[in-house]
Amino acid sequence: ALQLVESGGGSVQAGGSLRLSCVGSGYLYSCMGWFRQAPGKEREGVARIFTRDDSAYYVDSVKGRFTISRDNAKSTVYLQMNSLKSTDTATYYCAAMPDAACYNGPLVASRVSVWGKGTLVTISS
C-alpha cells in the first residue's frame, strides 16, 4: 500500500514562506492533495492536483498564496506556501484520493484514501 511522508514544516514569521514536500513509497495517485488541521478545528482541504486534466484547486483562504505541484518521477507532491499568516498555523497532511475526488465535489477528508502523518507549520505574528 502507498505510504506518504511529509516534510518541510517549521516555524516562520508572518509574511514568510515554506515549502512542504510529500514523498510516496510508490506511484502516486492521479489525485493528490493537502489538508490541514488547526488545534480544536476540523481537518480542512487546502489544495488538490489532478494529473488527468492538469488541474489544481485551492480553498479560497489560500488562493494566490499557495501553489500545489508534483514530480511524478520522484513520487513527490509539493505545497509552496507564501505570504503566510497566523491563521495558516496547523498540521499539514498529504493525501491520496480516488479520481472522483478530483473530478468534482468538495475537497473533504472523507474522500481521502491514504494519509500521511503530517508536518507542523507554526506562523508567528
Side-chain angles (χ1 to χ4, degrees):
L2 179 67
Q3 294 182 319
L4 303 171
V5 179
E6 303 94 334
S7 63
S11 297
V12 297
Q13 289 190 328
S17 298
L18 283 173
R19 188 175 82 154
L20 305 183
S21 298
C22 168
V23 179
S25 59
Y27 290 112
L28 297 176
Y29 284 31
S30 298
C31 181
M32 297 293 297
W34 287 93
F35 287 71
R36 66 185 179 187
Q37 188 166 19
K41 294 191 175 181
E42 292 188 356
R43 195 168 296 190
E44 68 164 345
V46 174
R48 66 179 180 222
I49 187 167
F50 193 32
T51 56
R52 299 206 188 276
D53 61 7
D54 292 326
S55 65
Y57 162 87
Y58 301 91
V59 68
D60 285 347
S61 59
V62 308
K63 281 181 182 176
R65 300 188 299 120
F66 290 12
T67 302
I68 188 171
S69 62
R70 61 192 289 165
D71 184 336
N72 292 324
K74 296 181 179 180
S75 293
T76 302
V77 180
Y78 303 98
L79 186 67
Q80 177 67 44
M81 306 187 296
N82 299 328
S83 302
L84 284 161
K85 306 175 181 180
S86 58
T87 50
D88 294 318
T89 294
T91 298
Y92 284 71
Y93 297 90
C94 183
M97 297 169 281
D99 285 1
C102 273
Y103 274 125
N104 54 56
L107 183 58
V108 294
S110 60
R111 308 183 85 181
V112 173
S113 298
V114 182
W115 289 104
K117 294 189 180 221
T119 185
L120 179 62
V121 172
T122 304
I123 310 303
S124 58
S125 56

